[in-house]
Amino acid sequence: MDGDWDEVARVPFPPPGVHALPTQVTTMTFDTTQELLWAGNDYGRVTSFLSSELQQHTSFKAHQATDGPVRQILTNSKGVVVLGSKDVHMANRRGPPIWHLRHDDMKDLRCMSFTSKGTAEIIAAGLQDSMFVIDLIKGEVVKQVRTEHQYSIMKRGRYICAATRNGSVDLLDPVTFAVVKTWNAHSALINDMDAQHDFIVTCGYSLRQGQNYMLDPFLNVFDIRKMASMPPIPFPAGAAYVRMHPRMLTTSIVVSQSGQMHVVDLMNPNTSNVRQANVLSYLSMFEIAPSGEAMALTDAECLIHLWGSPSKLHFVDLPAPVEFATPEEAIHQLDWTPESPLNSVGLPYYRQVLASSWPELPSDVGAPPVKFDTQFLASLKPTDFALYGRNMRGLRRNQLEDTRSVHKSANSGLKAPKFLSEKARDLAKSESSSAGDK
Amino acid sequence: ALNSELFRELENGRIARLMMKLGTVNERQEFEGDRAWSENGERYMLKLFRDYVFHQVDSNGNPVMDIGHMIRCLNKLDAGVDERICLTSRDEQTSFVVSYKELKKQLVNAFNELIKAAKPG
């Protein structure tokens, strides 16, 4: 972390309604291709924040508020994948949905990870006995995998590192999803975990005096090459959150709940760079951008803090442009009069079939109006604006009525003379309808 | 003169047909509870587009009745241009950036679904 790193922006996560209070961030992630930070809340809402000002960009609901918090967000070239407890939603970065997956066996999903197939496939797991392998291009469940362990955090390193509820980490093969190795990282539970190249780092709790959960005053490190744990790295303030630096392969950043940040080299733990984040409450989450040039922290007061060097801050190294609404071109004002033709506004250039093209459908334009039953009319109460009352006509609301034939039978007492062709048609009709009755 | 009169009427017909399509599709009771029309469904944008075109307001929240805006939007939808607009939900919590091309696709899909459901004859 450079000397000039500081807090550059601080924004609240928007409230669920116009007069409501801001909401806690339940998960956040930096976009891997655009200058966006994605965050989710307890109401199933996902919002993207733009570059160093964290200006609100797009926002959408990944699932209903009743389905609980947004658990995790991943991004790939096509869009963002949002994990809820009971569903997986994929949306375009601009907001419109791409697909939505729900499955009866999705009961309490908590985490997901990309698999061996780059960013085209994920595995989703949780506090339940099955995991789902999902093809992100088709938006389909490819496979359901039974699991003995229930997972709360997943990170994709060389293996899929999956944290269980009892403080251990399973290393899953990214092709077969079989457990290759189990590492007992903490005695009670794991609070945060990251994995990169050769290392897995964890922060966790142990039970003190058999009743209080206390954050362990150290960071645990596992060496994947040697398949063995390394000596823990001391962090007296209580290690709550940890991320590996995406560029400096042996460097990790550890944060305490009160905002103390240490930049530690795992190979040389004695030299560390210390910073203090300005938080009034306690921190609830910590994330680092793919460029390593920005960090985001969230706190219990629903604020997102962005840290970085004010001059160099960026999220991704070669960002794809963020897609905004097309700027309105200057339009010449038209003076609308009752005579102005509608075609004074031109149709843009087009090559495909227009949306207004109407298919060949039969349409009845000359039918007589519906005649209301006198009994029905009598049941209505008159007011100065309309007659009203219950629908007693034995018809659905807005049901089509064949007024042509109704008209005929109603006038059966006084038949108008018919042409021969009409008589022949009527005969044919009655024959076909009686044939249909049999 | 006759030609320009004819063109005018042709144009009116096109806009009328497009509005009829929007009318048949939007707010149908049988779509209530259908996930595609819910707040995270792909058809939700068509509802927000209707508001964008017909329920425009000024900075004080007063209605703006600009037939030019309405026809411009409808024409762009008809042609399905690549231009992107920002659609915002009534509670202002949801904002989508969406192209007319995507909106047109949704409208055509929704309308075709209705045609399929309609009983022939």
Side-chain angles (χ1 to χ4, degrees), chain A residues 114-179:
Chain A
F114 289 119
T115 65
S116 59
K117 295 184 180 155
T119 57
E121 189 182 87
I122 58 161
I123 180 161
L127 305 184
Q128 53 175 56
D129 298 329
S130 66
M131 303 193 284
F132 290 84
V133 182
I134 296 162
D135 182 324
L136 295 186
I137 297 159
K138 294 187 193 136
E140 286 169 5
V141 174
V142 182
K143 193 162 62 172
Q144 244 179 293
V145 185
R146 296 284 300 170
T147 172
E148 282 174 42
H149 301 108
Q150 304 196 328
Y151 299 118
S152 54
I153 314 173
M154 270 185 167
K155 290 281 160 143
R156 174 90 168 86
R158 189 174 298 175
Y159 296 98
I160 295 171
C161 307
T164 65
R165 298 165 82 181
N166 53 19
S168 62
V169 177
D170 283 352
L171 275 64
L172 307 182
D173 183 301
V175 180
T176 62
F177 311 112
V179 178

Side-chain angles (χ1 to χ4, degrees), chain A residues 15-18 45 57-63 89 94-97 100 323-326 331 336 339 341-343 345-348 350 352-359 361 397, chain B residues 7-8 11-12 14 17-18 20-21 29 35 39-42 45 52 67-68 71-72 75-79 81 83-86 91 93-99 102 104 111 115:
Chain A
V18 186
R45 177 161 298 281
H57 180 47
T58 52
S59 179
F60 58 87
K61 262 202 165 165
H63 52 254
H89 182 84
R94 293 180 281 105
H100 189 91
E323 296 171 289
F324 299 102
T326 315
I331 333 149
W336 281 95
E339 275 76 45
L342 301 189
N343 67 356
V345 177
L347 184 66
Y350 66 94
Q352 261 94 36
V353 181
L354 290 173
S356 59
S357 78
W358 199 264
L361 293 171
R397 78 187 263 275
Chain B
F7 271 129
R8 248 173 102 143
E11 187 81 352
N12 299 352
R14 192 178 51 71
R17 284 196 302 274
L18 186 59
M20 283 182 217
K21 281 200 178 180
Q29 195 179 6
R35 209 207 58 83
E39 240 187 293
N40 60 0
E42 48 271 34
M45 292 179 290
Y52 176 87
I67 188 175
I71 297 175
R72 225 164 19 244
N75 281 354
K76 285 172 182 171
L77 174 69
D78 207 358
V81 294
E83 184 181 324
R84 288 189 294 257
I85 50 171
C86 185
D91 64 4
Q93 303 297 307
T94 296
S95 38
F96 290 132
V97 177
V98 63
S99 68
E102 289 165 313
K104 177 180 172 182
F111 188 75
I115 297 235

Side-chain angles (χ1 to χ4, degrees), chain A residues 1-2 4-10 30 34-37 49-55 287-297 305-319:
Chain A
M1 198 177 343
D2 290 345
D4 64 340
W5 274 56
D6 207 344
E7 186 182 300
V8 288
R10 181 185 283 212
F30 280 97
Q34 296 184 357
E35 290 285 289
L36 295 172
L37 173 71
F49 299 90
L50 189 66
S51 56
S52 52
E53 291 86 38
L54 291 185
Q55 190 197 340
E287 207 52 70
I288 190 159
S291 65
E293 296 291 340
M295 292 186 325
L297 304 152
H305 310 230
L306 185 70
W307 273 69
S309 151
S311 55
K312 291 194 296 200
L313 190 142
H314 62 277
F315 299 172
V316 262
D317 281 332
L318 292 166

Side-chain angles (χ1 to χ4, degrees), chain A residues 26-27 46 62-63 68-74 80-90 106 108-113 122-126 134 152:
Chain A
T26 56
T27 182
V46 173
H63 52 254
V70 177
R71 299 289 188 188
Q72 196 184 338
I73 304 171
L74 287 174
V80 283
V81 187
V82 184
L83 187 79
S85 300
K86 297 180 170 64
D87 47 28
V88 187
H89 182 84
M90 186 159 182
M106 292 180 176
D108 193 2
L109 296 176
R110 293 297 173 101
C111 54
M112 60 182 169
S113 158
I122 58 161
I123 180 161
I134 296 162
S152 54

